Amino acid sequence: MNTHATTRIVGAPVPRKEGVDKLVGRACYVDDMKREGMWYGATVRSTIPRGLIRSIAFDRRIEWSEFTVVTAADIPGENIIQLIVADQPCLADGKVNHCEEPILLLAHPDKHKLREALGGVKIEYDALPPVFTIEESEQQDQIVWGADNLLKSFLLEKGDVDSAWAGAGHIVEGEYRTGAQEHLYIENQGIIAEYSAEDGVTVWGSLQCPYYVFKALRGVFDLPDEKVRVIQTETGGAFGGKEDYPSILASHAALLAKKSGHPVKMVYDRMEDLAATTKRHPARVRHRTALDKDGKLLAIEIHLDTDGGAYATLSSTVLSRATLHSTGPYLCPNVRVRAQSWATNHVPYGAFRGFGAPQAVFAMERHMDEIAATLDMDPVELRRKNFLHDGDTNATEQLMREPIILDKLLDRALQASAYHAKCAQFARENELNPIKRGMGIAAFYHGSGFTGSGELYLNSLAGVDVTPESKVRVLVSNTEFGQGTNTILTQIASEALGIEYSDVTMAAPDTDMVPNSGPTVASRTSMVVGRLIERACLQLISRLREQAGLGATHTREEFLAACERYRVAHGEVSSMCRYEAPPDIYWDDQKYHGEAYGAYAWAIYVAQVAVDTVTYSAEVENFWAVQEVGRVLHPVLAAGQIEGGIAQGIGYALYEKVVLDGGRMTNNQMTNYIMPTAEDVPPIHVYFEEVPFRYGGFGAKGLGELPHDGPAPAILNAIRDATGVSFNSIPLLPEDLYAGLAASHPVEEPALP
Amino acid sequence: MNANEKADTNAHWPAIRFTVNGESRTVNVPPMKRLLDVLREDLHLTGTKEGCGEGECGSCSVRMNDELVNSCLVPVLQAEGAEIQTVEGLALEGELDPLQEAFLQNGGAQCGICTPGMLMAAAQLLAHRPHPSETEIREGLAGNLCRCTGFTRIVASVAAAARSTESNPAMEPELEQTHHAR
């Protein structure tokens, strides 16, 4: 176990592996690529939320013989995008279930002509009544999916909730809502596809999960594995938005490539990307909580419902993570969580950093402050009183075997932010000041890796090899899209092999070259894949010692010489490892009981917010983030992940509203979908406490998603502290603040400065 | 991968002449073609990126006659006679310039797609404010969106680059200096 050993490269701020390419403009994103004879593709989409396609007509003024036109009838395999549930067609066939659903594809050598032609396809529909809200869907007057509109449900139970209410000192109820959120990666979705009879389908694209796209293409084209190849190009941000959607776009581009006989590039413009691709699931979360007279949790009952959109996509797994994070890092003997994801006629919602946890954590942590207010307790002490400790069990009755240092994190956060002093100062100043300031806190954990038995099903394979040119390569299908995969995996390999960081490179993210080490999602790369690479490297060292005369200690030259001796004797030098679950893991997928995650990252976030009661704007003035994420593999990259996640969380809380009208996004431009700028993001103070995790790569746990969970509740708790008014819904825009503050002080005019 | 593209040049379009990264260039393209597309398609300078196509995200920022412009909003006819600098013009001799070096050391680039525009905005800022305050840096970069970093490390990178130039007169971030002819 290397987790406590001194390291040379792991933990050091080495330069980002592909950093120079990105800084000189040489990094090659999909829209920077061209293929010989390449055409461009475009998509004709549904303009209505639900209905039957009556007719498709083509404007005679357009010379259609110059175009390639693809419909569902051109699909050689199954007209389904393979993911979890086989319900989403690659192209609509006869009926549509959401606006922007793809119906027909066009390709042409000239992208300007393509744009004109899009307007020349006239589709007539027989409209059916749509469903747009969780409430409409659960009423089941219109059935838009399956037998009952229910995409997925979970029931999690611990103890006996029903018996807990009678003896409770306090019962507190609340309803919390979160809106959709757009990923807003700055690089839009894009794919280039080629097709030939000999090689089958090849795609290059901006994507997170090459083997997800691989699986989808295999189904759409009915091709064997050896005739499908997926290559990730440099990817300009993803955040979950390029987990599942690229399977659709890759299938479309490849269908056009096959029919046209040309390579085809499809790159969405911003408006199409915003309107047609996935977003974070909107949620409604209802809490009912029993506490004893001192504020100890006795029972938590939660009804958590999400809008899943028109097809199942990843709604079941998002709901699963929401369920498992809904009760927070607290000890409670009696828990019931009933979680349901409902179909509507919205564009399908999908993966987004945090994957259900931000919705659940927003509700729980906002609710904790409502409980504190009801009990007239300090919200900090209410949390401290109920924290999980080593040896406790959480809501799934997972035994907390690893050390929990929540109290230490909390103390550090309070001290760094001068929390109590500021609370007192603001309480004094607010009375006479039209700008009301407040402090808010959130405590939360985030499970690393796939849920429950998920990592076993993934059965990831990863490793390293050494080329005849003495290049050591990391072989994984995990991708770089800004978060630092290339850097941390090559750090781990060079550390474990006892060579230099510059000796190790990443093999191309190409399904012809790298094994399936699972998707790049769920904060699993450092912990799960990092551990596979560490094991594969240690295995290679021990082989070289046994079979190629490598000494007990070695220099990089001795290592490379031993590799050459091994190559002469055995052919190639490579070492692969397959995922093995830590011992004593038990998980019941039916009862949602047992070890939900291999490890948890823990955090306390504090927000300082100013609410201007003249303009009704809320501004985050300062932010403190204290977390325990296992071993920090790279201090600069790790802090960068935390800061970026917090900025997205600030957007989620205060700026980013997806405006839907009749099932269409009406603010699908950067002009009116507003994310925080450099002037809106406050100073962010990031602190790590390190508790190495035995089964993570060099002690790492996951950290990528964690920082999106905490900001929204911390900010809205700070707004309550500042104004005395509870806001239970995000995004909280100035008009919402105005409505809430006006309702709470109906006769008062806002104070003038 | 960038195979010999047939340049979108056509003798019947009037010639438009300008300087890019110190080199004189002439293109025969529709005068309303976006400068962004001329840079990427005709001059194969794909370092400049498109993020939104409407001047909101700043990914396509280039420096033109000592002004920071969104090249997606500039018809190429407006570039006649202009001096233009793109990201490719920062490391002309193959060495990272201090701004790029500061981004590398301080984690200023994550996914990299906003980076070229961000570098141009930062270069423009430092050309006029060699030692900006944090507030001035945030103002100077407010037209460039980054979804990865939360801006913290970009602001730190620009501040570090400003500090590094104090003792390094070779990097005087003036447009004239970076536009030397090769």
Side-chain angles (χ1 to χ4, degrees), chain A residues 444-577:
Chain A
F444 52 102
Y445 65 5
H446 196 98
S448 309
F450 263 37
T451 300
S453 34
E455 288 293 342
L456 272 177
Y457 290 129
L458 281 178
N459 198 22
S460 298
L461 183 67
V464 290
D465 71 1
V466 185
T467 69
E469 298 76 34
S470 291
K471 266 289 169 199
V472 180
R473 302 188 309 170
V474 173
L475 304 171
V476 295
S477 60
N478 299 95
T479 50
E480 171 69 52
F481 37 90
Q483 78 290 38
T485 301
N486 292 346
T487 307
I488 55 152
L489 293 182
T490 50
Q491 278 180 287
I492 286 173
S494 51
E495 183 78 53
L497 293 172
I499 56 179
E500 297 305 319
Y501 176 63
S502 56
D503 291 326
V504 184
T505 59
M506 297 292 286
D510 173 343
T511 55
D512 268 9
M513 318 267 287
V514 294
N516 188 351
S517 53
T520 309
V521 304
S523 307
R524 64 185 293 277
T525 304
S526 299
M527 183 176 99
V528 177
V529 184
R531 178 70 183 142
L532 286 176
I533 295 303
E534 185 186 355
R535 279 175 48 210
C537 291
L538 297 177
Q539 176 177 282
L540 177 61
I541 292 289
S542 97
R543 262 187 222 158
L544 293 173
R545 284 181 183 153
E546 286 162 18
Q547 300 172 43
L550 186 67
T553 61
H554 62 262
T555 63
R556 71 178 281 280
E557 287 71 25
E558 287 164 353
F559 168 82
L560 294 171
C563 288
E564 286 321 296
R565 289 195 294 278
Y566 189 94
R567 185 187 316 284
V568 170
H570 301 277
E572 62 178 29
V573 187
S574 85
S575 170
M576 305 300 290
C577 277

Side-chain angles (χ1 to χ4, degrees), chain A residues 204 299 351 625 739:
Chain A
W204 292 260

Side-chain angles (χ1 to χ4, degrees), chain A residues 262-586:
Chain A
H262 290 270
V264 171
K265 178 190 273 192
M266 295 183 82
V267 175
Y268 290 167
D269 66 16
R270 182 60 61 181
M271 291 185 77
E272 183 172 23
D273 194 292
L274 284 172
T277 72
T278 60
K279 316 249 176 295
R280 186 185 299 288
H281 289 71
R284 180 191 70 197
V285 190
R286 291 173 174 152
H287 275 253
R288 186 167 194 241
T289 311
L291 303 105
D292 72 12
K293 60 179 177 19
D294 300 323
K296 269 274 200 193
L297 290 165
L298 296 177
I300 296 176
E301 181 163 30
I302 298 173
H303 288 258
L304 189 156
D305 296 88
T306 66
D307 175 353
Y311 296 108
T313 64
L314 294 162
S315 289
S316 58
T317 45
V318 169
L319 189 72
S320 163
R321 192 168 278 269
T323 304
L324 295 167
H325 288 75
S326 63
T327 57
Y330 303 112
L331 177 64
C332 184
N334 306 294
V335 174
R336 182 186 294 135
V337 185
R338 189 182 294 280
Q340 297 173 307
S341 186
W342 297 96
T344 63
N345 296 108
H346 285 143
V347 175
Y349 293 98
F352 192 157
R353 193 179 204 164
F355 208 72
Q359 295 93 317
V361 172
F362 171 74
M364 183 67 198
E365 284 303 285
R366 196 64 274 293
H367 190 59
M368 284 300 273
D369 267 36
E370 293 303 303
I371 292 172
T374 306
L375 274 61
D376 197 21
M377 275 183 79
D378 179 350
V380 171
E381 294 316 309
L382 173 71
R383 287 177 171 85
R384 196 191 290 278
K385 193 183 279 271
N386 288 288
F387 278 159
L388 281 167
H389 293 94
D390 313 6
D392 287 341
T393 66
N394 68 356
T396 61
E397 299 190 58
Q398 173 170 1
L399 178 65
M400 297 285 121
R401 301 165 208 258
E402 305 292 326
I404 298 176
I405 59 164
L406 273 171
D407 283 298
K408 190 175 177 184
L409 300 180
L410 179 60
D411 289 339
R412 193 163 178 189
L414 295 174
Q415 188 192 17
S417 62
Y419 177 88
H420 284 111
K422 284 205 170 131
C423 285
Q425 178 197 338
F426 296 154
R428 278 195 311 275
E429 294 171 352
N430 281 346
E431 205 169 339
L432 297 171
N433 195 338
I435 294 176
K436 314 286 184 196
R437 291 195 165 78
M439 300 291 280
I441 198 161
F444 52 102
Y445 65 5
H446 196 98
S448 309
F450 263 37
T451 300
S453 34
E455 288 293 342
L456 272 177
Y457 290 129
L458 281 178
N459 198 22
S460 298
L461 183 67
V464 290
D465 71 1
V466 185
T467 69
E469 298 76 34
S470 291
K471 266 289 169 199
V472 180
R473 302 188 309 170
V474 173
L475 304 171
V476 295
S477 60
N478 299 95
T479 50
E480 171 69 52
F481 37 90
Q483 78 290 38
T485 301
N486 292 346
T487 307
I488 55 152
L489 293 182
T490 50
Q491 278 180 287
I492 286 173
S494 51
E495 183 78 53
L497 293 172
I499 56 179
E500 297 305 319
Y501 176 63
S502 56
D503 291 326
V504 184
T505 59
M506 297 292 286
D510 173 343
T511 55
D512 268 9
M513 318 267 287
V514 294
N516 188 351
S517 53
T520 309
V521 304
S523 307
R524 64 185 293 277
T525 304
S526 299
M527 183 176 99
V528 177
V529 184
R531 178 70 183 142
L532 286 176
I533 295 303
E534 185 186 355
R535 279 175 48 210
C537 291
L538 297 177
Q539 176 177 282
L540 177 61
I541 292 289
S542 97
R543 262 187 222 158
L544 293 173
R545 284 181 183 153
E546 286 162 18
Q547 300 172 43
L550 186 67
T553 61
H554 62 262
T555 63
R556 71 178 281 280
E557 287 71 25
E558 287 164 353
F559 168 82
L560 294 171
C563 288
E564 286 321 296
R565 289 195 294 278
Y566 189 94
R567 185 187 316 284
V568 170
H570 301 277
E572 62 178 29
V573 187
S574 85
S575 170
M576 305 300 290
C577 277
R578 206 170 269 289
Y579 177 76
E580 288 168 15
D584 307 322
I585 288 292
Y586 157 81

